[in-house]
Amino acid sequence: MTRGARLVVLGKQGAGKGTQCVRLSHYLAVPHISTGDMLRAAVKAGTEFGQLAKAYMDRGELIPDDVVMGIVEERIAEPDASRGFLLDGFPRTTVQAKALDEMVRPNSLDLVLDLDVPTELVLKRLSSRRVCSTCGANYSLESPPKLNWTCDLCGGEVVQRRDDTETAIRRRLDLYEESTAPLLEFYSERNLLAVVNGVGTPDEVMDRLVKVVEMARDRKK
Ligand code: ADP
Ligand code: ZN
């Protein structure tokens, strides 16, 4: 992993992928590419595509594979991703994973991290999750509690995500089991998978991630 790093972060909704990817992308000096963030930006911009995407997202359904694959292919072709990237929220299906293999050719992925958190805990985290509607920063009603409704980073309004309702959360977790969980085996068979315990404070989890990344680096040397 010396010549840049091509990483994928897997994990259930609410596992903490967003929070950890922001940190890890600084650590690795590669861009954090979140399909959820890109799709929410399109929704906010009110483009025709954004309106289409919104209908899926509000219900907790997945956007069709070919659409998301097109977005990611374009994004990772940008100059800032030439040395690597940290993918968050993609791939989510086996079709997407196979497409990603093609996209990175002649290179290959360096490591796939699975941020592992029990379902009871992600349910709790998702129902107390709040996000900045301007910059996307994540907050929680618990630990540490967010008591006012403006963003500490940018002053934007802090709201509940439209897909963090009970029905949409349940649907997304079902889809995770059905479509995304099989990717653990897909990557494990390719010797790329590292499972990291996602329970703990953000700092504790980050320490674990860095250790695993460094171990993978040493192995490649
Ligand atoms: P979460 O992981 O909590 O569902 P994300 O921000 O990663 O949140 O994604 C939000 C929504 O965006 C998903 O529910 C889905 O509708 C859409 N989406 C994001 N990434 C993908 C993807 N790779 N394939 C299909 N749909 C996606
Ligand atoms: Zn903000």
Side-chain angles (χ1 to χ4, degrees), residues 132 134-137 151 153-156:
C132 171
T134 304
C135 75
C151 177
L153 301 176
C154 78

Side-chain angles (χ1 to χ4, degrees), residues 131-139 150-158:
V131 296
C132 171
S133 56
T134 304
C135 75
N138 278 301
Y139 295 98
T150 52
C151 177
D152 300 338
L153 301 176
C154 78
E157 190 190 0
V158 172

Side-chain angles (χ1 to χ4, degrees), residues 7-10 17 33-36 65 68-70 72-73 87-93 95-97 99-100 103 183 187:
L7 267 71
V8 166
V9 181
L10 298 175
K17 294 190 295 287
I33 301 180
S34 155
T35 44
D65 283 332
V68 188
M69 278 149 38
V72 172
E73 182 157 31
L87 274 175
D88 163 6
F90 184 93
R92 253 183 229 238
T93 64
V95 172
Q96 293 179 13
L100 178 61
M103 286 177 213
L183 295 183
Y187 286 122

